[in-house]
Amino acid sequence: MNVALGGTFDPVHDGHHALFERAFSLGDVTVGLTSDALAPKTRAVDRPVRDYEKRKAALESELEPLAAAHDREFEIRTLSEPTGIATEPTFDTIVVSPETVEGAERINELRVDDGLDALEIEVVDHVMAEDGERISSTRILNGEIDRHGNLTPAASGRQPE
C-alpha cells in the first residue's frame, strides 16, 4: 500500500509521531513537506517556521527508525500547494489528523474528478499533553510543553540549534 501524509512538521512532536506510526503500519510512506512559501499559509496561528532544509533533515531523522522498524520505505517530497502529492494516482491511503480531514476530503473530490479512486482516509486522534490539551507545534514554540507533551513552564519555546 502507498500512503501519503503531509504537513509542516516544525517542530516534530509526539502527535506527528502517531501519524507516522500509523502510516508505516499501513505501507510505504510519502511525506509531503510544505515548501517555505506554503508553510506560513497553512498555519492557523502566525509563528516562525524553520526553513525547508532544516525541517526536512529533522523529519528524515524521525522517519528513518520508524521505516526500519516496519520494514518500509519512505520519501519526502515538497508540497507547494495544500492538496499536494495526494492527488497523484500512486496513492491508496492518506493519513490525517482530525483538523485536516476536510483537506483529505477535498483531495478525494479532486481525485474522483480526475477519474481516480478516492483514497482511504485514516484519521489519527490527537495526542494529549500532560495538561489534557492536545500537543501542537505552536504550544511547543510558546514554551508551554515539550515535544512529548510535558509541561515546561520554565521553557521559552524552541531550543537553540
Side-chain angles (χ1 to χ4, degrees):
M1 187 173 297
N2 292 312
V3 183
L5 70 143
T8 301
F9 307 113
D10 185 47
V12 177
H13 54 68
D14 284 3
H16 297 138
H17 190 85
L19 292 169
F20 304 149
E21 279 282 355
R22 182 67 182 134
F24 282 117
S25 77
L26 296 169
D28 292 330
V29 176
T30 301
V31 178
L33 181 62
T34 56
S35 67
D36 288 335
L38 180 61
K41 297 175 185 172
T42 64
R43 309 283 21 106
V45 175
D46 187 31
R47 63 172 177 82
V49 175
R50 290 182 301 171
D51 71 61
Y52 179 87
E53 289 303 323
K54 287 182 180 171
R55 290 183 289 122
K56 183 178 180 185
L59 187 56
E60 284 173 339
S61 64
E62 288 288 327
L63 297 175
E64 284 169 356
L66 291 171
H70 290 277
D71 195 28
R72 302 287 193 187
E73 300 290 323
F74 77 90
E75 177 183 14
I76 299 173
R77 294 181 42 203
T78 305
L79 284 184
S80 54
E81 57 186 67
T83 53
I85 59 172
T87 56
E88 297 173 8
T90 57
F91 296 105
D92 307 299
T93 302
I94 187 167
V95 175
V96 297
S97 56
E99 74 272 9
T100 57
V101 171
E102 283 184 26
E105 291 169 345
R106 175 68 184 132
I107 287 166
N108 274 343
E109 290 171 9
L110 294 171
R111 288 177 63 90
V112 170
D113 288 349
D114 288 341
L116 300 173
D117 290 336
L119 298 172
E120 280 295 318
I121 300 173
E122 289 283 330
V123 182
V124 176
D125 286 334
H126 292 125
V127 175
M128 296 302 153
E130 183 179 18
D131 61 1
E133 298 295 320
R134 76 179 181 93
I135 296 175
S136 73
S137 296
T138 299
R139 292 189 70 204
I140 294 166
L141 292 178
N142 288 341
E144 299 170 40
I145 57 173
D146 66 15
R147 65 173 284 177
H148 304 295
N150 300 306
L151 295 176
T152 56
S156 59
R158 188 191 322 267
Q159 301 305 309
E161 295 178 23

